[in-house]
Amino acid sequence: MLTKRIIPCLDVDRGRVVKGVSFVALRDAGDPVALAQVYDREGADEVVFLDISASAEGRGVMEGVVRRVAEVLFIPLTVGGGIRSLADIQRLLQAGADKVSLNTAAVLDTDLVRRAARHFGRQCIVVAVDARRVRPGPQAFCSDPSLALDATSQWEVWIYGGRRPTGIDAVKWAQRVADLGAGEILLTSMDMDGRQQGYDLALLRAVAEAVSIPVIASGGAGDLEHFYQAFTIGKASAVLAASVFHYGKFRIPQVKAYLAQRGVPVRPPPEEASVPLKETGAV
């Protein structure tokens, strides 16, 4: 049986890890290199590094910071933010990334997913989907009728770091990028992000049942039970969290022990005691 993955997320803005609620009200959470080292030692299965302002600011991801983070990791690193071309992907892989995460660029140039998967292998290509529940009133226009919101749609895709709606149905979009060659989907509920009230299990399950590739749950972890629910009810292949790890509410060995006790297969963390965040300079 494949083990389930626990993935800390480093949302980076101007070289520092930050965290907010529903993508706004950001506050500092520490140094990305120091945090990455802690999570590696604690037994994280992967680390995700997202330059959250790169696309909105029209720039590329900070390769220097990526390189410094990659140098201290012995586990896979996924990097996203400001990626627009195969050349951008190549540079990030050369900087030490194992995978890249496409979000805004994938929506603006859908064929980029296909070209990237063909060129680098689908195992390198993650498509991040930032989804928000459809609200009453006028909707953003989508030129592709096969992806557009309809009367049955519940979640809409947003881009540019959650700043712009697209009029695209999130479940339809997940199916499209899976067909194009994405190796994984990083699915974030903007409604639940940073609130620590649990993952959007309905969204998660809808996408997981619609595609045959792994789905990473993101947005809302605040209790150990939330991780368990994401795997069992939401059918996630991996769970991503930020606030609960960055600010020390839970440690990765604690999460893994809880899941193992509940019968969820996880990779055991190292036996060595974890170093508190405050002793690493991470926060």
Side-chain angles (χ1 to χ4, degrees):
M1 182 181 295
L2 292 176
T3 57
K4 303 296 186 179
R5 292 168 289 155
I6 308 299
I7 306 175
C9 182
L10 307 178
D11 289 325
V12 178
D13 185 23
R14 297 173 179 82
R16 294 287 292 180
V17 177
V18 296
K19 195 68 190 86
V21 176
S22 294
F23 290 31
V24 297
L26 302 178
R27 62 186 178 118
D28 189 85
D31 174 68
V33 177
L35 283 167
Q37 287 179 302
V38 170
Y39 297 142
D40 195 327
R41 287 200 298 267
E42 285 193 343
D45 297 293
E46 299 179 21
V47 168
V48 168
F49 176 113
L50 300 176
D51 191 329
I52 61 172
S53 55
S55 290
E57 294 177 358
R59 60 171 174 80
V61 70
M62 293 182 174
E63 290 179 45
V65 183
V66 171
R67 196 176 301 277
R68 290 194 293 117
V69 170
E71 287 174 350
V72 303
L73 286 178
F74 296 92
I75 55 177
L77 172 64
T78 299
V79 177
I83 300 171
R84 300 174 183 82
S85 65
L86 297 185
D88 290 340
I89 297 173
Q90 182 70 52
R91 283 194 295 271
L92 290 173
L93 294 176
Q94 291 175 339
D98 298 282
K99 308 176 192 176
V100 296
S101 175
L102 305 174
N103 189 337
T104 300
V107 173
L108 299 180
D109 177 11
T110 305
D111 194 57
L112 177 61
V113 178
R114 182 192 61 79
R115 299 196 309 271
R118 179 174 295 181
H119 190 83
F120 298 103
R122 69 184 304 160
Q123 77 283 352
C124 289
I125 307 304
V126 178
V127 172
V129 179
D130 295 336
R132 170 172 275 171
R133 285 191 174 271
V134 175
R135 301 177 179 182
Q139 304 296 332
F141 174 74
C142 173
S143 60
D144 186 340
S146 67
L147 294 175
L149 297 171
D150 58 36
T152 67
S153 298
Q154 298 185 61
W155 302 276
E156 180 180 11
V157 175
W158 287 59
I159 56 176
Y160 290 113
R163 294 170 175 85
R164 184 183 299 179
T166 64
I168 295 174
D169 180 290
V171 178
K172 296 177 184 177
W173 177 238
Q175 292 173 311
R176 174 68 59 85
V177 297
D179 291 342
L180 287 169
E184 292 183 280
I185 291 172
L186 171 53
L187 180 64
T188 300
S189 166
M190 293 179 61
D191 301 294
M192 303 305 293
D193 177 72
R195 298 184 184 279
Q196 299 190 28
Q197 297 174 356
Y199 297 97
D200 186 332
L201 298 176
L203 166 65
L204 181 57
R205 185 169 186 140
V207 171
E209 290 182 341
V211 301
S212 59
I213 60 176
V215 176
I216 304 168
S218 172
D223 188 88
L224 293 174
E225 181 70 10
H226 296 157
F227 293 96
Y228 178 75
Q229 292 173 344
F231 288 127
T232 55
I233 300 174
K235 297 188 175 182
S237 297
V239 290
L240 179 146
S243 301
V244 294
F245 293 143
H246 299 339
Y247 302 118
K249 183 174 183 178
F250 298 121
R251 313 311 297 271
I252 291 169
Q254 184 181 3
V255 174
K256 288 195 168 187
Y258 178 85
L259 291 172
Q261 289 170 0
R262 301 290 300 273
V264 177
V266 293
R267 183 175 65 90
E271 294 183 2
E272 309 87 62
S274 301
V275 179
L277 291 180
K278 64 182 180 181
E279 295 181 14
T280 69
V283 294

